[in-house]
Amino acid sequence: MKADAQKFLHSVETEIARGSYIAAERGAVDVPTWVQRHLDSRADLGVTTRNRTQNIIDVHIKPKWASVALSDVEHADVAAWAKQLLGTLSVRSVKKIVNVLSAAYDSAVRDRRVHSNPCRGLKFPKATPKSKIFLSAEQVEDLAGATPDDRQALIVYVLAYCGLRWGELAGLRVQDFDPLRRRLNIEQTIVDDGGKSFVKPPKDHEIRSVPVPKFLVEKIAAYIATAGMTDLIFTSPRGGPLRNRNERGRWFNQAVDAIGVPELTPHGLRHTAASMAISARASVLSVQRMLGHSSATVTLDVYSSLFEDDLDEVADRLDRARAETGLRDSYATGSVRKIR
């Protein structure tokens, strides 16, 4: 016992000398309290993200880790918890839940409450990609025709040909429409959360300019002809901001049922916009800028399959380029050259 005590004392002295010693009481705070404190301290989160994180804390973290000290959680504990969650939730959902705990532990490490983050190195099954629905131009026309009036039809056209997120559509003002340049300037978004609407910057603060097809420029111009510059382009029937849930129940769900694509959502029309842009030979960078992705890598990750036809075109162009040179095939005579 004395030897063990001396060994422990020596390890503490070594940690103190190295500056890595953490007093036991520093890690004694319980997990839910620390995770909540970490969320409350963050000034960078928007309303939607904050409320979503709070829900994860209330539903998943508090029940599991109540009265458990930060320093008592080990990697195996988190792995077992994640495996239990995977029994009822998707891989994406479980990753989001664990990421909330992991971010709080990163903060605890920085605050010198624990030595390491037990969430690090956790392995997840490969997530099954969500299937995407790509409407043809004819189907977009059918969907617009299945709506009750011109307002809804115009919403369909803007979502399908400009690729806006719903909040960006709701936040469009008349002053954001530039008919001469054929652009929609995305400068704000309106988010509905908890029954209240909030105006905020676009996702990732990416203010951008979105191209508008000529036929749609004319439709938008006619629709806003009598509106003021600061008016929202699209509003609810009562004049308030557009709310996704309300519009889906009011007309969108019935319209997609009518054209035989009941699983399509308003957000899904972004995929159609991307598909039509890529089919029109838009570059990855152009599609990225139109959709407001943070990088071209994100665009490729989401729509890589749509660019596969470009590979065939590249091969065809290389064939044509070689043929135009008039070069003879060095293998035509049956000779073989060694490649060094």
Side-chain angles (χ1 to χ4, degrees):
M1 295 290 291
K2 183 177 181 181
D4 291 339
Q6 289 178 332
K7 185 177 180 180
F8 174 74
L9 179 60
H10 177 69
S11 67
V12 170
E13 290 173 344
T14 301
E15 288 183 356
I16 292 175
R18 292 175 176 173
S20 60
Y21 175 70
I22 297 177
E25 61 270 17
R26 295 287 294 166
V29 59
D30 66 83
V31 173
T33 297
W34 181 256
V35 176
Q36 186 66 57
R37 189 183 303 178
H38 174 253
L39 174 61
D40 294 342
S41 69
R42 295 189 62 177
D44 60 313
L45 300 182
V47 175
T48 303
T49 303
R50 183 175 299 279
N51 288 346
R52 184 167 56 243
T53 303
Q54 185 65 62
N55 183 66
I56 287 174
I57 294 172
D58 293 340
V59 174
H60 297 288
I61 293 178
K62 286 182 177 179
K64 172 62 181 180
W65 304 106
S67 303
V68 179
L70 279 174
S71 58
D72 289 341
V73 179
E74 298 182 354
H75 178 81
D77 300 323
V78 180
W81 177 51
K83 183 178 180 180
Q84 180 183 18
L85 291 173
L86 285 168
T88 56
L89 301 173
S90 68
V91 174
R92 290 183 182 84
S93 295
V94 175
K95 281 185 176 180
K96 290 178 182 179
I97 294 168
V98 174
N99 283 344
V100 171
L101 182 63
S102 182
Y105 260 102
D106 281 343
S107 175
V109 171
R110 291 191 295 270
D111 205 50
R112 296 180 58 78
R113 292 183 178 275
V114 292
H115 285 288
S116 61
N117 182 346
C119 304
R120 293 295 175 188
L122 203 63
K123 303 295 184 182
F124 291 93
K126 188 174 182 180
T128 303
K130 289 184 177 179
S131 59
K132 299 178 181 65
I133 299 172
F134 304 106
L135 299 187
S136 65
E138 292 77 8
Q139 287 175 306
V140 172
E141 205 64 36
D142 291 341
L143 180 60
T147 61
D149 58 41
D150 291 343
R151 180 184 74 97
Q152 287 94 336
L154 189 56
I155 288 174
V156 168
Y157 285 129
V158 172
L159 291 176
Y161 280 92
C162 300
L164 305 189
R165 300 177 179 91
W166 185 269
E168 295 168 348
L169 176 84
L172 282 177
R173 299 159 299 187
V174 172
Q175 67 191 40
D176 298 325
F177 174 54
D178 186 342
L180 296 180
R181 294 179 59 243
R182 293 190 294 173
R183 294 289 190 271
L184 286 173
N185 299 312
I186 310 303
E187 298 185 354
Q188 67 176 24
T189 182
I190 295 181
V191 177
D192 182 54
D193 193 273
K196 296 182 179 179
S197 296
F198 302 89
V199 177
K200 54 184 289 190
K203 187 175 181 180
D204 299 323
H205 296 268
E206 289 290 338
I207 293 175
R208 69 188 192 280
S209 183
V210 177
V212 184
K214 184 178 179 181
F215 87 92
L216 191 50
V217 169
E218 296 170 353
K219 289 181 180 296
I220 295 174
Y223 183 74
I224 62 173
T226 61
M229 292 299 291
T230 60
D231 291 346
L232 293 173
I233 293 180
F234 298 106
T235 62
S236 71
R238 295 184 179 181
L242 282 181
R243 289 182 172 171
N244 191 305
R245 181 180 299 179
N246 291 349
E247 296 298 312
R248 289 187 67 176
R250 186 175 291 123
W251 60 271
F252 189 87
N253 289 346
Q254 293 89 323
V256 294
D257 284 343
I259 68 167
V261 194
E263 62 273 28
L264 180 67
T265 66
H267 186 79
L269 288 174
R270 268 170 68 80
H271 304 320
T272 290
S275 174
M276 290 199 288
I278 294 168
S279 295
R281 300 304 178 193
S283 67
V284 176
L285 183 59
S286 296
V287 177
Q288 174 215 335
R289 291 172 60 188
M290 181 181 78
L291 297 179
H293 286 159
S294 57
S295 70
T297 301
V298 174
T299 306
L300 282 172
D301 285 344
V302 177
Y303 299 112
S304 58
S305 63
L306 296 179
F307 286 97
E308 288 180 357
D309 290 343
D310 286 355
L311 298 178
D312 295 331
E313 184 176 353
V314 168
D316 291 340
R317 287 181 178 179
L318 291 173
D319 274 332
R320 290 195 296 270
R322 185 175 184 277
E324 289 169 0
T325 65
L327 291 175
R328 295 178 61 187
D329 192 340
S330 61
Y331 292 98
T333 61
S335 61
V336 177
R337 293 185 300 172
K338 291 183 179 180
I339 299 175
R340 299 182 182 274

